[in-house]
Amino acid sequence: MSIKYGLLYLVLVLLLLSLKLEGGGIVIYWGQNGNEGTLASTCASNNYAIVNIAFLVVFGNGQTPVLNLAGHCNPSVGGCTRLSNDIRTCQSRGIKVMLSLGGGVGSYSLSSADDARNVANYLWNNYLGGQSTSRPLGDAILDGIDFDIERGTTQHWDELARALSGFSQQRKVYLTAAPQCPFPDSWLNGALSTGLFDYVWVQFYNNPPCQYSAGSAVNLKSYWNKWTAIQAGKIFLGLPAAPGAAGSGFIPSDVLVSQVLPAINGSPKYGGVMLWSKFYDNGYSSAIKPRV
């Protein structure tokens, strides 16, 4: 009898694990406000499947790369290497930790295919599975690179994606992106056309033509269908975690779970919800997590 029940228990555990893998997850951006809590506490909440460390704000075109983590630490004096322990703690919980490139401010661009390969090499050696004596986040190995490209140039991001993907022959490098919801995205269309991205969290905010507005999800659903047609692993609904997190596009948690998610989560490519950002997430992720 004990063997029988033991096998039944094992089957149930495996079933629950498979359901968890098939269900949606929540992605959060962390790093742009020193009052949002530590990376370790962010992961300890158990609300998030992926954390994007934001941002590498200067890179490419021969520039010395600059990591900006607001009030958390100063990488220019080695002050962020202590985050290695937090990163490993997050990963031990099964949470992927990414480095996000770009953002809404900063000085970044790619001037050529060679420049893209140089940036890829820098990222591999300083944040991923390579080696360097000056790793800004210490010796922890991040899971991949997030493309949050909103300025600079529209060129050569595809070559950066291919170069980073090439390192997966040595150690898997996850590629993610945060395009704006107007389709196609003017900055990232070339990169996304490579079909190399594992996860794409589309920013359905600050973009009235394609976001939830006036109590209607019609436009959002229409553009969601366009985004789920691209060649990518999973597509996530990107939202502000509070009204103050963006100029427009906030969806109250009860409306999200009762009206919006049921309209999109039937897609085979549905991955979950991305939130901007940890500082603004004061209960929103907890409210939606059971239904994501």
Side-chain angles (χ1 to χ4, degrees):
M1 288 291 285
S2 60
I3 294 177
K4 177 181 177 181
Y5 285 112
L7 289 173
L8 178 60
Y9 175 77
L10 179 61
V11 169
L12 287 173
V13 168
L14 292 174
L15 177 60
L16 288 172
L17 284 173
S18 67
L19 289 174
K20 181 179 180 182
L21 290 172
E22 289 300 317
I26 299 176
V27 180
I28 196 76
Y29 277 84
W30 176 94
Q32 285 300 293
N33 194 301
N35 297 316
E36 63 194 340
T38 65
L39 180 59
S41 66
T42 295
C43 293
S45 71
N46 289 321
N47 283 351
Y48 314 114
I50 301 173
V51 177
N52 294 321
I53 296 179
F55 292 105
L56 189 71
V57 295
V58 177
F59 63 90
N61 202 24
Q63 302 177 99
T64 299
V66 175
L67 177 69
N68 181 307
L69 294 183
H72 287 287
C73 56
N74 184 357
S76 68
V77 294
C80 300
T81 58
R82 57 182 170 80
L83 289 177
S84 270
N85 289 333
D86 286 15
I87 292 167
R88 283 189 286 265
T89 297
C90 294
Q91 292 169 331
S92 71
R93 295 175 176 271
I95 299 168
K96 292 181 176 64
V97 184
M98 316 287 291
L99 173 67
S100 187
L101 310 180
V105 298
S107 172
Y108 55 87
S109 64
L110 297 174
S111 59
S112 66
D114 284 343
D115 190 26
R117 285 189 287 269
N118 288 337
V119 170
N121 288 334
Y122 169 81
L123 294 171
W124 171 254
N125 289 323
N126 287 276
Y127 292 97
L128 301 169
Q131 294 185 346
S132 169
T133 57
S134 59
R135 292 173 66 94
L137 298 178
D139 59 0
I141 299 174
L142 297 181
D143 293 287
I145 301 296
D146 176 55
F147 289 49
D148 185 7
I149 307 304
E150 303 180 29
R151 56 193 297 124
T153 176
T154 61
Q155 303 299 310
H156 308 298
W157 300 111
D158 55 337
E159 288 152 328
L160 178 60
R162 290 189 186 96
L164 287 168
S165 179
F167 287 115
S168 287
Q169 297 176 9
Q170 302 176 56
R171 180 189 178 101
K172 171 64 178 177
V173 176
Y174 286 88
L175 295 182
T176 68
Q180 309 289 315
C181 59
F183 187 89
D185 182 84
S186 58
W187 302 103
L188 285 169
N189 186 50
L192 293 172
S193 295
T194 65
L196 295 173
F197 284 77
D198 299 282
Y199 310 123
V200 176
W201 19 86
V202 184
Q203 297 184 47
F204 281 90
Y205 52 95
N206 293 335
N207 287 291
C210 49
Q211 68 189 31
Y212 179 89
S213 61
S216 172
V218 172
N219 288 346
L220 184 152
K221 178 67 186 311
S222 174
Y223 279 86
W224 172 265
N225 289 340
K226 294 179 182 181
W227 280 106
T228 54
I230 72 170
Q231 186 178 347
K234 294 290 183 179
I235 308 297
F236 291 68
L237 178 69
L239 297 172
S248 62
F250 175 74
I251 305 176
S253 59
D254 58 333
V255 175
L256 179 68
V257 300
S258 65
Q259 299 180 30
V260 180
L261 292 184
I264 66 172
N265 62 14
S267 166
K269 286 187 178 178
Y270 171 78
V273 174
M274 174 274 279
L275 297 176
W276 175 267
S277 63
K278 177 59 177 66
F279 175 72
Y280 293 99
D281 183 16
N282 297 305
Y284 193 87
S285 61
S286 297
I288 67 172
K289 184 184 177 185
R291 303 287 291 276
V292 169

